[in-house]
Amino acid sequence: FCGNPNVIGMEEQGFLQASEAVVADTDLLKKKLEAMRLSGLQKLQVIADFDATLTRYWIDGRRGQTSHGLLKQGNPDYDDKREELYKYYHPLEYSPTISIEEKTKLMEEWWGKSHSLLIEGGLTFDAIKQSVASATIAFREGVVELFELLEERDVPVLIFSAGLADIIEEVLRQKLHRSFKNIRIVSNRMVFDDNGCLVSFKGKTIHSLNKNEHALDMAAPLHDQLGDVNGATNDSASVRKRTNVLLLGDHIGDLGMSDGLNYDTRISVGFLNDNIENSLDSYRNAFDIVYLNDASMLGVVKLVHQLFP
Ligand code: TMP
């Protein structure tokens, strides 16, 4: 924990006791915590990124796979083609020298090509199940506890991802062995035909740089929505009334997930998994709390417990 918790009376804040927690502005955090506590549980919602936020960045010394990365189509030519796209576009995604406009075009291009290859290569739902079963993917310690706690307290959780909704759902099924009635997934959703073959994707593509636009869709009144687009369903009206947001992400761009929600108070938690030396300054200025080194979710579990015992 960076900063002196005693100065502002935060010595009781167990969620900051781990050595890997960093808070740039303890005064501001304290104010936000008070505001959230005062407005109560019924005002709270959680918005979480999936890859490397709910899931671990490292697993047994290997990089954990993403929902895109774990997918094996059962058609090696197409897996290779998607891998080539990854090698070309992934460095561009993180390039500090490309403008945001140019990068957005590149990401649209990447997602477009990748989704087309999944359709062309004849992806089946069976291949998804097998891919997830053999994937290097795991939830952070404490994620199940967090989901259980939020379910018990009727707090909605929105998993918001530029990955693939059907794969995220399969990961939840296989790794958690149970479903949670409070979890909703907004991500790219596949459409399968009667033979279980992928034929198209529903709604607008969500890529890593347009999550903020989709937050607006999600928050729009029902009659403005295009229906069940990318998993956004008819409870958006009740979610809009929950004006306090606990946001979990691993990229500064993830802060855009709450755009359009017109929130009163937002506490943002960033997981800085890698490249800490170069990124810590920007992360600590962007997020209210930063957890370092692929930390567990237990700090967030404590935070919710302390807010709403
Ligand atoms: P997210 O963290 O916003 O969910 O971003 C999804 C990640 O998926 C992003 O960093 C790029 C990656 N990706 C792949 O690995 N393979 C692909 O084919 C595509 C389109 C994206």
Side-chain angles (χ1 to χ4, degrees):
F1 172 53
C2 297
N4 181 355
N6 296 319
V7 172
I8 55 162
M10 290 177 76
E11 65 278 12
E12 298 302 321
Q13 307 294 356
F15 61 90
L16 295 178
Q17 275 160 11
S19 56
E20 67 265 30
V22 176
V23 174
D25 190 339
T26 45
D27 266 344
L28 179 62
L29 177 60
K30 194 186 172 209
K31 279 187 193 132
K32 289 185 177 188
L33 287 164
E34 260 321 289
M36 272 203 183
R37 201 193 318 267
L38 284 175
S39 35
L41 258 180
Q42 65 286 354
K43 285 284 178 192
L44 180 66
Q45 64 171 303
V46 174
I47 303 182
D49 169 61
F50 183 73
D51 295 313
T53 295
L54 294 176
T55 61
R56 285 160 58 184
Y57 192 77
W58 294 109
I59 298 168
D60 301 330
R62 284 193 293 163
R63 275 294 313 277
Q65 289 178 303
T66 62
S67 66
H68 271 116
L70 65 81
L71 190 54
K72 297 272 173 283
Q73 280 181 252
N75 187 336
D77 280 356
Y78 279 84
D79 289 336
D80 291 349
K81 284 183 192 178
R82 284 186 300 117
E83 180 64 22
E84 277 166 33
L85 291 180
Y86 180 87
K87 284 190 186 137
Y88 177 74
Y89 285 105
H90 189 60
L92 302 177
E93 186 183 11
Y94 286 92
S95 162
T97 56
I98 303 175
S99 73
I100 196 79
E101 291 79 17
E102 182 60 19
K103 221 186 251 192
T104 301
K105 276 193 211 133
L106 289 164
M107 294 305 105
E108 279 165 10
E109 221 175 78
W110 182 13
W111 261 255
K113 287 180 188 172
S114 184
H115 285 186
S116 298
L117 286 174
L118 291 174
I119 297 169
E120 233 179 81
L123 179 71
T124 61
F125 194 72
D126 248 19
I128 290 181
K129 281 197 226 160
Q130 284 172 29
S131 300
V132 171
S134 57
T136 308
I137 191 163
F139 287 103
R140 288 179 194 276
E141 187 192 0
V143 166
V144 178
E145 287 91 328
L146 181 66
F147 287 168
E148 284 173 351
L149 179 63
L150 295 169
E151 188 184 46
E152 260 169 46
R153 284 158 167 67
D154 274 332
V155 173
V157 178
L158 181 80
I159 299 178
F160 198 170
S161 172
L164 299 159
D166 306 73
I167 295 187
I168 293 171
E169 278 170 1
E170 189 58 26
V171 174
L172 291 167
R173 264 194 294 272
Q174 291 193 23
K175 303 289 175 189
L176 302 182
H177 309 290
R178 55 154 300 192
S179 60
F180 288 87
K181 61 179 187 305
N182 57 328
I183 296 181
R184 209 153 59 97
I185 296 167
V186 174
S187 186
N188 297 300
R189 194 167 283 280
M190 299 172 177
V191 180
F192 292 92
D193 66 13
D194 292 343
N195 301 319
C197 295
L198 174 66
V199 285
S200 62
F201 282 83
K202 259 192 197 177
K204 284 192 270 178
T205 303
I206 304 175
H207 58 70
S208 49
L209 293 180
N210 70 354
K211 278 182 162 181
N212 52 344
E213 294 169 22
H214 290 272
L216 278 167
D217 286 352
M218 184 186 74
L222 248 196
H223 56 268
D224 289 346
Q225 288 199 14
L226 302 170
D228 180 11
V229 175
N230 298 323
T233 50
N234 54 12
D235 51 354
S236 77
S238 69
V239 161
R240 269 187 306 129
K241 287 188 197 141
R242 292 184 173 258
T243 46
N244 291 336
V245 179
L246 177 61
L247 181 145
L248 314 175
D250 75 308
H251 279 299
I252 289 175
D254 287 333
L255 291 164
M257 297 190 297
S258 55
D259 286 5
L261 276 176
N262 215 1
Y263 55 80
D264 291 329
T265 304
R266 180 185 74 181
I267 294 179
S268 56
V269 177
F271 287 86
L272 178 51
N273 299 311
D274 204 9
N275 203 8
I276 291 173
E277 224 166 274
N278 292 326
S279 306
L280 183 55
D281 263 358
S282 54
Y283 271 64
R284 79 198 310 176
N285 290 326
F287 290 98
D288 295 304
I289 304 167
V290 182
Y291 286 107
L292 307 178
N293 296 319
D294 207 11
S296 81
M297 194 57 79
L298 293 169
V300 178
V301 173
K302 278 191 190 154
L303 185 147
V304 176
H305 265 303
Q306 286 181 219
L307 270 175
F308 302 108

